[in-house]
């Protein structure tokens, strides 16, 4: 049975559905965000591991991200072409089946890590990563817009921030679990080669299949839009979407480049002199900051009757984080984390809880932190780059929500174009690696992601505004 295009705007056909409680479906879909966050961040562990096994230069190791995020581009491009010619694929097979297909393809990619390790082939690893990311691409195309339409349009940014917070939880624990399994257990296997990646990725494959079964058995609501499937390229008529595509490219490229470089950055003698395993723990702080920031963003951008409720919830989250940091890591790390959270909250206040304005100020804060990272040393440089995670937090869900605002029947097509732009994660990291190799200065290479964040500043303050010439503005 053919589906219909979703919309972030309430229509008469939607009004009864919008009134329903979508807590159950959101919890189920949130598991997907967690899983692809975990898998994506495992790349940051794979880079130094395979760099050891195959003796790779920085730019060669970054091909891991090129293979992974390159799949986002090619699969999304095929999706867009098909939607122009035949109509939206997700709308034809339904969100539920689209999600299941994505999970199964991702699981196959994880299984391919086993023969790649047996063959000791870097090329095979890149193929496995491409297949794995192809499945996640399908999940992204289906799940992101699905979350935005599970409820009123006014709360779309808040809902997507909340689900992305669980995505960040996956990226937070991935360095800890992945770093332990791949680096610290390497002495328990027969060889110090690529053998240690087998079991972690087979475990991921099993988890993905288990979630696919759960999705198959779950009752996910069918949210209707304007009741028709459109076969055209109408999404490209929206200026704020086109600029948003570039913004997603810049954001994902900048974030992935920074995250991929951190373990090697922490190893530098004049920064921290950490081992790979130790660096993995601090990499978890970077992604943990993104998780905390997304919880803040979900609260800040939600519809509350008064701001005092927002402040109370944010204060409670801060107290919980400080207590956990103090208990696990001690007073020094807890106070540093508290200072970063306070800074994040102050910038959040500057944004006045408005998505575009908040995005612009957060990107500006990242630029300042990158300057500190480049031109200082020791713990100052280390904690400055870690703090970037907090300000990255709301960017992807906020950019995504701003870009698909008012697209109506073109929402899924616009979503595929935005997911295609995630290819920035395939292009920017090797570019940063190349700059590091050519200059011999890994620290100075952070100039590359800084350029990306300059564009995000523009999009937040100006490019995200819906112009009167856009079809959505005329409606």
């Amino acid at each position: 049975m053919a589906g219909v295009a979703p919309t972030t705007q309430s229509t008469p056909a939607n009004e009864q559905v919008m009134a329903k409680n979508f807590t159950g479906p959101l919890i189920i879909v949130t598991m997907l965000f967690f899983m692809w966050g975990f898998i994506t961040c495992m790349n940051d562990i794979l880079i130094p591991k395979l760099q050891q096994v195959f003796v790779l230069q920085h730019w060669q190791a970054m091909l891991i991200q090129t293979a992974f995020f390159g799949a986002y581009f090619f699969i999304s491009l095929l999706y867009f072409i098909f939607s122009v010619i035949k109509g939206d694929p997700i709308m034809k097979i339904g969100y539920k089946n689209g999600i299941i297909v994505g999970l199964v393809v991702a699981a196959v990619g994880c299984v391919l890590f086993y023969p790649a390790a047996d063959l000791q082939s870097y090329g095979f690893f890149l193929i496995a990563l491409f297949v794995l990311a192809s499945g996640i691409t399908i999940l992204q195309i289906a799940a992101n817009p699905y979350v935005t339409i599970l409820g009123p349009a006014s709360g779309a940014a808040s809902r997507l921030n909340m689900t992305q917070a669980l995505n960040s939880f996956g990226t937070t624990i991935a360095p800890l679990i992945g770093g332990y399994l791949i680096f610290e257990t390497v002495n328990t296997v027969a060889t110090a080669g690529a053998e240690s990646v087998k079991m972690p990725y087979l475990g991921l494959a099993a988890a993905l299949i288990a979630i696919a079964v759960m999705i198959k058995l779950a009752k996910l609501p069918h949210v209707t839009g304007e009741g028709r499937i459109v076969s055209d390229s109408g999404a490209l008529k929206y200026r704020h979407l086109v600029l948003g595509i570039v913004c997603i490219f810049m954001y994902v490229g900048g974030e992935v480049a920074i995250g991929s470089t951190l373990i090697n950055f922490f190893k530098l003698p004049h920064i921290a002199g950490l081992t790979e395993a130790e660096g993995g723990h601090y990499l978890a702080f970077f992604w943990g900051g993104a998780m905390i920031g997304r919880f803040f963003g979900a609260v800040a951008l939600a519809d509350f009757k008064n701001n005092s409720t927002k402040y109370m919830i944010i204060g409670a989250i801060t107290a919980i984080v400080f207590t956990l940091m103090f208990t696990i890591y001690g007073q020094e790390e807890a106070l540093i984390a508290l200072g970063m959270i306070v800074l994040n909250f102050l910038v959040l206040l500057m944004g006045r809880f408005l998505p575009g304005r908040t995005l612009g100020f957060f990107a500006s804060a990242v630029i300042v932190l990158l300057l500190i990272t480049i031109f200082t040393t020791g713990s100052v440089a280390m904690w400055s780059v870690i703090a970037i995670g907090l300000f990255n937090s709301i960017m992807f869900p906020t950019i995504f929500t701003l870009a698909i605002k008012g697209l109506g029947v073109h929402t899924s097509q616009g979503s595929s174009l935005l997911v295609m732009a995630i290819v920035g994660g395939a292009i920017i990291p090797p570019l940063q690696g190349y700059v590091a190799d050519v200059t011999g200065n890994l620290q100075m290479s952070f100039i590359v992601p800084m350029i990306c964040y300059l564009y995000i500043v523009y999009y937040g303050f100006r490019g995200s505004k819906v112009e009167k010439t856009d079809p959505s503005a005329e409606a």
Side-chain angles (χ1 to χ4, degrees):
M1 179 177 177
V4 292
T7 174
T8 56
Q9 297 173 327
S10 182
T11 66
N14 270 357
E15 288 175 357
Q16 186 175 1
V17 181
M18 290 295 186
K20 293 183 178 180
N21 186 342
F22 290 114
T23 302
L26 275 172
I27 291 174
I28 295 172
V29 175
T30 294
M31 289 190 298
L32 305 177
F33 285 77
F34 169 81
M35 283 303 300
W36 80 55
F38 188 98
I39 290 170
T40 301
C41 197
M42 283 290 288
N43 292 349
D44 296 341
I45 302 298
L46 271 181
I47 287 171
K49 174 60 184 179
L50 298 186
Q51 205 168 8
Q52 288 180 353
V53 175
F54 297 103
V55 192
L56 306 171
Q57 296 185 47
H58 285 299
W59 74 267
Q60 291 173 316
M62 289 297 188
L63 290 178
I64 289 172
Q65 302 292 26
T66 299
F68 190 87
F69 290 97
Y72 280 74
F73 175 78
F74 288 108
I75 300 302
S76 297
L77 178 60
L78 290 174
Y79 186 99
F80 175 72
I81 292 172
F82 191 92
S83 70
V84 170
I85 299 172
K86 298 290 186 180
D88 198 310
I90 294 294
M91 293 301 96
K92 289 185 176 182
I93 67 173
Y95 283 110
K96 183 174 182 177
N97 290 330
I99 289 171
I100 292 172
V101 169
L103 287 167
V104 172
V105 173
V108 171
C110 288
V111 171
L112 290 177
F113 274 73
Y114 197 96
D118 277 342
L119 295 172
Q120 292 285 302
S121 170
Y122 186 53
F124 205 138
F125 273 111
L126 297 182
I127 292 172
L129 283 162
F130 186 91
V131 175
L132 169 57
S134 296
I136 295 179
T137 302
I138 298 170
L139 290 176
Q140 289 263 20
I141 293 173
N144 280 303
Y146 192 39
V147 169
T148 68
I149 62 178
L150 285 179
S154 59
S158 175
R159 290 193 300 276
L160 201 51
N161 266 288
M162 182 59 72
T163 53
Q164 288 285 343
L166 273 297
N167 174 275
S168 293
F169 179 60
T171 62
T172 300
I173 66 173
L176 301 175
I177 297 175
Y180 174 77
L181 293 175
I182 291 177
F183 282 114
E184 296 188 20
T185 63
V186 71
N187 293 326
T188 67
V189 297
T191 175
E195 293 290 318
S196 59
V197 307
K198 287 182 176 180
M199 295 312 297
Y201 279 90
L202 286 180
L204 287 173
L208 291 168
I209 293 298
I211 295 175
V213 173
M214 292 177 62
I215 296 291
K216 180 67 176 177
L217 298 176
K219 293 182 178 180
L220 299 181
H222 179 68
V223 182
T224 62
E226 297 181 16
R228 57 195 176 96
I229 296 175
V230 179
S231 301
D232 62 18
S233 57
L236 291 174
K237 297 177 183 178
Y238 297 83
R239 176 181 176 274
H240 66 287
L241 171 66
V242 174
L243 295 176
I245 292 168
V246 179
C247 197
I248 288 288
F249 178 94
M250 293 295 188
Y251 166 68
V252 176
E255 181 192 49
V256 172
I258 293 171
S260 301
T261 306
L262 286 189
I263 290 182
N264 285 326
F265 181 67
F266 295 152
K267 287 169 59 179
L268 296 176
H270 64 284
I271 300 299
L274 303 178
T275 65
E276 286 88 352
E278 291 169 337
H281 287 280
Y282 284 94
L283 178 63
F285 288 163
F286 174 80
W287 293 112
M291 175 183 65
I292 295 166
R294 281 172 177 163
F295 279 122
F296 283 176
V299 174
L301 300 176
D303 291 325
F304 287 103
K305 292 183 179 180
N306 55 70
N307 288 335
S308 60
T309 304
K310 295 183 180 182
Y311 299 147
M312 289 177 61
I313 296 175
I314 290 175
I317 295 172
T318 302
I320 292 171
V321 171
F322 179 81
T323 302
L324 289 174
M325 289 291 294
F326 184 85
T327 303
I328 299 173
Y329 297 103
Q331 179 177 332
E332 183 178 354
E333 283 80 1
L335 289 174
I336 291 173
L338 179 62
M340 293 191 299
I341 289 173
V342 170
L343 176 62
N344 181 264
F345 181 68
L346 291 175
V347 177
L348 190 62
L349 288 178
M350 292 172 63
R352 300 177 184 174
F353 306 131
L354 300 173
R357 182 183 172 93
T358 302
L359 176 65
F361 278 119
F362 269 45
S364 300
V366 171
I367 291 171
V368 173
L369 290 169
L370 281 171
L371 287 171
I372 296 172
T373 300
I374 292 170
F375 294 108
T376 62
T377 59
S379 60
V380 174
M382 184 183 77
W383 284 107
S384 293
V385 76
I386 289 174
I388 290 172
L390 266 171
F391 293 94
N392 275 338
S393 56
I394 59 101
M395 290 190 187
F396 184 89
T398 302
I399 295 168
F400 200 99
T401 304
L402 289 169
I404 64 172
K405 181 180 180 180
L407 265 59
V409 296
H410 296 109
T411 299
S412 287
Q413 187 181 83
S415 174
S416 72
L417 291 169
L418 289 167
V419 173
M420 186 192 306
I422 293 176
V423 73
I427 296 173
I428 303 300
L431 181 59
Q432 181 176 357
Y434 178 76
V435 171
D437 289 330
V438 170
T439 63
N441 190 333
L442 183 63
Q443 196 168 3
M444 193 59 63
S445 71
F446 283 103
I447 288 176
V448 174
M450 187 187 302
I451 295 171
C452 297
Y453 286 96
L454 285 170
Y455 181 86
I456 300 172
V457 171
Y458 160 73
Y459 187 74
F461 288 128
R462 183 69 184 88
S464 60
K465 295 180 179 179
V466 179
E467 297 289 342
K468 293 182 179 179
T469 55
D470 284 346
S472 58
E474 297 171 358

